[in-house]
Amino acid sequence: MTLIAPPFTRSQRAFERASKVLPGGVNSPVRSCQAVDADPIFIDHADGAFMWDVDQNRYIDYVGSWGPMILGHRHPRVLEALEDALEHGTSFGAPSIAEIELAELIVSSVPSIEMVRLVSSGTEATMSAIRLARAFTKRDMVIKFDGCYHGHADSFLIKAGSGLQTLGISSSPGVPEELAKLTVSLPFNDIDALKAAFKEHDKKIAAIILEPIIGNAGLILPKDGYLEAMRELATKHGALLIFDEVMTGFRVALGGAQQLYKIKPDLTTLGKIIGGGLPVGAYGGRRDIMEMIAPLGSVYQAGTLSGNPLAMAAGTAQLRMLQIPHSYEQLEHRTQRLADGLTELIQKSKVVAQVANVTGMICLFFNKDKVTDLASAQKCDTKKFAKFWQALRDRGIYWPPSQFEAAFISLEHSKQDIDDTLKAVEETLKVI
Ligand SMILES: *Cc1c(COP(=O)(O)O)cnc(C)c1O
């Protein structure tokens, strides 16, 4: 089904209504379509690899709720688990067996996690992991990387200045300068910059936190040996290594990027997929560190809805489905089919672009050179991307509405869906 210039009347009306009561008409800025010069599309329902907007236009969905929907929308096993959980009650404020089940699945799947604490979002997970790292090392400073997103806690909303290892300048108003100074943001894929930062702030760095594969600045893979060298430096300087796998966990492999690259971080943060479409986050890792968390230890972190039974049920059902042999091979095949098709179409067209992909994630950068860090991503032609996004939307493809986001492929994206997408892209490349 190809749509050309579909009606967006109801979405437009909804946006006007929403804008009166919600800042910008949305509850998370990534849902706004400002960066692609468009108004947001309001969704009515979703099923499998598809979403329908309130005007009943159908889209092949490449956002997948920004990662969680790896089995597609409304997967029968997830729905059954939710219905069953609903029968038992929606929240207890006391422990339930469902929490152990999800925790056991996480511990048995992610190589470095010996113990885990369940929370309700990725932001909560990273924020708590940093508090724990600071308590464990008795140090205050944190190293992050330009272009990595770790949720919206104050310590992470720091952008580097123009030069190498610029001390944190708060890049969101409202983040106290005193706190911003404790975060150093460095260029990704540059081991010398990391060495220099350790030299400058020797014995002050509590942790290095990173997305081992960056999915929040388009899609950027680590260079060969980069993560290994980082692991060594962290150990040498007594800093903890935190892999933020909120996006890559259970996506690029069952055990996340750490399984793919065979690196053992000290702590890992998770979210998105582990909630099966409901709000769940988690942080976990070495037992000796995790034992510092209250009530076992003195590092305080709590949550009224942590381990919520509905969220546990959906997450557990989804992770169980992902244990099925060859799930990730299949996801990789689908992703590669899309990546190969896109590469071929670009070569045949006059459009200058690069394809980056890893299992279940893909990005089309409108850039002439390969993207290896935030600075190279920022050279992309975002105006071209905006036209690309709009033309795809008009052809029934819902791509992430930003050049700096990765697109997500689910196990429900069939070969036919991929081929239909490529057909839409072929037409799109001719008109942008
Ligand atoms: C999405 C994301 C977060 C934040 O998770 P929320 O559930 O949105 O708070 C943190 N880190 C990474 C790598 C993410 O992709």
Side-chain angles (χ1 to χ4, degrees), residues 105-421:
L105 273 167
I106 291 171
V107 169
S108 65
S109 305
V110 184
S112 70
I113 299 186
E114 294 171 345
M115 277 186 130
V116 66
R117 164 61 64 88
L118 296 163
V119 294
S120 299
S121 72
T123 294
E124 250 188 286
T126 52
M127 186 179 84
S128 312
I130 285 296
R131 180 181 305 140
L132 181 57
R134 283 175 166 151
F136 186 81
T137 58
K138 301 188 176 71
R139 298 173 178 183
D140 286 339
M141 291 185 79
V142 173
I143 291 177
K144 74 175 278 290
F145 298 90
D146 307 347
C148 282
Y149 178 66
H150 303 298
H152 64 84
D154 285 348
S155 293
F156 304 122
L157 291 179
I158 314 300
K159 202 166 139 192
S162 49
L164 289 184
Q165 3 152 14
T166 306
L167 262 186
I169 302 157
S170 83
S171 59
S172 168
V175 176
E177 204 57 48
E178 298 312 306
L179 194 61
K181 280 192 185 123
L182 297 176
T183 303
V184 180
S185 192
L186 302 176
F188 192 69
N189 269 328
D190 182 345
I191 202 69
D192 291 333
L194 186 60
K195 281 184 189 155
F198 268 118
K199 203 165 164 200
E200 188 179 341
H201 308 288
D202 196 27
K203 299 199 168 59
K204 290 188 193 144
I205 308 290
I208 309 175
I209 185 166
L210 74 154
E211 292 180 74
I213 295 170
I214 305 184
N216 283 292
L219 177 62
I220 303 175
L221 300 175
K223 286 182 180 162
D224 283 349
Y226 179 61
L227 298 178
E228 286 84 346
M230 184 183 290
R231 173 67 274 184
E232 271 176 36
L233 276 175
T235 306
K236 182 175 152 199
H237 292 277
L240 297 186
L241 182 63
I242 307 176
F243 272 14
D244 179 355
E245 300 227 46
V246 170
M247 190 181 280
T248 52
F250 294 92
R251 172 152 295 272
V252 298
L254 195 64
Q258 57 193 270
Q259 178 188 325
L260 222 56
Y261 293 102
K262 301 188 177 67
I263 306 283
K264 216 167 171 190
D266 301 297
L267 292 173
T268 299
T269 54
L270 296 166
K272 300 194 167 113
I273 288 177
I274 64 164
L278 274 82
V280 183
Y283 61 106
R286 275 166 48 188
R287 185 176 296 275
D288 59 328
I289 305 174
M290 293 303 291
E291 283 178 346
M292 287 187 75
I293 299 169
L296 204 51
S298 55
V299 178
Y300 198 73
Q301 184 273 309
T304 302
L305 292 177
S306 294
N308 173 267
L310 288 182
M312 297 298 102
T316 300
Q318 174 144 285
L319 297 196
R320 283 203 183 125
M321 286 304 294
L322 292 172
Q323 317 272 330
I324 294 174
H326 310 301
S327 295
Y328 288 92
E329 281 97 325
Q330 188 185 327
L331 191 60
E332 170 59 14
H333 283 151
R334 294 293 148 83
T335 312
Q336 201 57 49
R337 186 181 185 90
L338 183 59
D340 291 345
L342 287 175
T343 305
E344 199 179 310
L345 291 174
I346 290 159
Q347 281 164 356
K348 279 199 291 187
S349 78
K350 290 193 197 93
V351 173
V352 178
Q354 306 277 326
V355 179
N357 62 288
V358 65
T359 305
M361 294 164 78
I362 192 161
C363 184
L364 190 59
F365 283 117
F366 288 90
N367 198 356
K368 72 176 168 21
D369 302 312
K370 197 171 168 217
V371 172
T372 56
D373 55 13
L374 181 66
S376 50
Q378 280 172 334
K379 287 185 190 140
C380 286
D381 184 345
T382 50
K383 290 208 174 70
K384 184 74 99 188
F385 178 84
K387 285 190 195 158
F388 171 78
W389 185 87
Q390 290 177 22
L392 275 187
R393 172 201 59 189
D394 293 349
R395 287 166 178 78
I397 310 292
Y398 193 76
W399 200 259
S402 163
Q403 172 69 93
F404 306 109
E405 300 281 5
F408 297 97
I409 293 134
S410 79
L411 283 160
E412 279 292 302
H413 285 77
S414 66
K415 281 182 187 155
Q416 188 62 52
D417 299 333
I418 303 281
D419 294 347
D420 289 348
T421 304

